[in-house]
């Protein structure tokens, strides 16, 4: 493995962890607030889209961000942009569908544990990005990382990001969905991935 590959993997691991946190916990969560503050002050990110996004988050009311998080990630009567993969890949649009089961087996096979203390589907978008970070942190073979993206995440995430951009009420979540979607496209190109073809029901 060349030095450039190592640097790319380190960057991939860091960004997967960052975006995982931003898409799993509320933006108003204290850890995310610390993260956003650090990103906004990172000289290496000066004038970047990420820093522009940080400014957007800091300009919006916490109550508005929390309300958006509830609607997008926890759900009112209708979930307009469900954050779980099987809702998109299962004909019945259910959580804990067949794709969740397949993904769970993949995680077990590679000794990845995502213990959140709750009984929730492992194919939540933020948790999947945490899994990417863990795989790289454990120095798993790059082919394993590629398999997670191509067979489990990229199969549905672009549609999910479209729905978040369409239905989010705050610019923070609209822009976050766009940022992570663009990052996924960059990863797909970098790792030369062809996502597994799956019919989507959303």
């Amino acid at each position: 493995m060349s030095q450039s590959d190592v640097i790319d993997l380190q960057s991939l691991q860091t960004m997967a962890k960052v975006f995982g946190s931003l898409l799993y916990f509320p933006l108003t969560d204290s850890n995310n607030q610390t993260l956003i503050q650090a990103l906004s002050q990172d000289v290496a990110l000066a004038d970047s889209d990420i820093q522009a996004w940080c400014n957007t988050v800091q300009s919006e009311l916490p109550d508005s961000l929390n309300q958006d998080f509830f609607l997008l990630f926890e759900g009112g009567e209708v979930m307009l942009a469900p954050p779980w993969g099987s809702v998109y890949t299962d004909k019945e649009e259910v959580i804990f569908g067949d794709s969740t089961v397949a993904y769970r087996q993949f995680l077990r096979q590679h000794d990845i544990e995502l213990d959140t203390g709750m009984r929730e589907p492992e194919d939540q978008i933020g948790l999947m990005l945490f899994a990417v970070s863990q795989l790289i942190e454990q120095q798993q073979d790059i082919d394993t990382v590629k398999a997670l993206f191509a067979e489990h995440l990229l199969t549905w995430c672009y549609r999910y990001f479209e729905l978040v951009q369409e239905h989010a009420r705050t610019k923070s979540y609209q822009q976050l969905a766009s940022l992570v979607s663009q990052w996924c496209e960059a990863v797909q190109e970098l790792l030369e991935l062809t996502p597994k073809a799956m019919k989507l029901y959303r």
Side-chain angles (χ1 to χ4, degrees), residues 14 22 25 29 66 89 110 113 117 161 164 170:
T14 299
L22 297 174
F25 301 106
D29 175 84
N66 286 336
T89 59
H110 298 289
E113 286 198 22
F161 294 131
V164 173
T170 60

Side-chain angles (χ1 to χ4, degrees), residues 1 4 10 32 34 37 44 49 132 138 172 193:
M1 182 178 287
S4 62
Q10 287 175 342
N32 274 344
T34 300
Q37 187 69 21
D49 289 343
V132 170
Q138 293 175 3
S172 296
L193 301 174

Side-chain angles (χ1 to χ4, degrees), residues 75-117:
E77 293 180 11
V78 178
M79 287 209 75
L80 299 174
W84 305 283
S86 69
V87 177
Y88 298 84
T89 59
D90 190 285
K91 190 174 183 179
E92 303 299 322
E93 298 185 28
V94 294
I95 60 172
F96 292 110
D98 290 343
S99 64
T100 311
V101 174
Y103 178 58
R104 180 179 293 167
Q105 291 172 343
F106 172 86
L107 293 178
R108 286 176 179 165
Q109 181 183 348
H110 298 289
D111 298 319
I112 295 294
E113 286 198 22
L114 299 168
D115 185 7
T116 63

Side-chain angles (χ1 to χ4, degrees), residues 31 36 63 95 98 124-125 128 138 154 160 176:
N31 287 333
I36 291 164
D63 284 351
I95 60 172
D98 290 343
Q124 197 270 0
I125 185 69
M128 293 188 82
Q138 293 175 3
L154 297 179
Y160 163 72
L176 178 60

Side-chain angles (χ1 to χ4, degrees), residues 4-145:
S4 62
D5 289 333
V6 172
I7 293 171
D8 286 338
L9 279 181
Q10 287 175 342
S11 172
L12 181 60
Q13 191 260 339
T14 299
M15 292 313 299
K17 199 169 190 176
V18 166
F19 286 140
S21 181
L22 297 174
L23 289 169
Y24 184 71
F25 301 106
L27 294 178
T28 54
D29 175 84
S30 59
N31 287 333
N32 274 344
Q33 284 291 301
T34 300
L35 182 58
I36 291 164
Q37 187 69 21
L39 290 171
S40 68
Q41 296 174 352
D42 190 332
V43 176
L45 296 173
D47 300 321
S48 67
D49 289 343
I50 288 181
Q51 284 200 342
W53 172 78
C54 290
N55 292 335
T56 298
V57 176
Q58 292 165 341
S59 73
E60 296 197 291
L61 294 173
D63 284 351
S64 298
L65 295 173
N66 286 336
Q67 179 68 6
D68 225 8
F69 178 84
F70 173 75
L71 292 172
L72 294 169
F73 294 92
E74 296 178 335
E77 293 180 11
V78 178
M79 287 209 75
L80 299 174
W84 305 283
S86 69
V87 177
Y88 298 84
T89 59
D90 190 285
K91 190 174 183 179
E92 303 299 322
E93 298 185 28
V94 294
I95 60 172
F96 292 110
D98 290 343
S99 64
T100 311
V101 174
Y103 178 58
R104 180 179 293 167
Q105 291 172 343
F106 172 86
L107 293 178
R108 286 176 179 165
Q109 181 183 348
H110 298 289
D111 298 319
I112 295 294
E113 286 198 22
L114 299 168
D115 185 7
T116 63
M118 296 184 288
R119 185 179 180 273
E120 61 181 328
E122 294 89 338
D123 59 350
Q124 197 270 0
I125 185 69
L127 290 180
M128 293 188 82
L129 293 172
F130 280 143
V132 170
S133 176
Q134 278 194 38
L135 284 175
I136 299 172
E137 204 168 329
Q138 293 175 3
Q139 297 185 317
Q140 295 264 8
D141 190 282
I142 187 62
D143 288 338
T144 305
V145 178

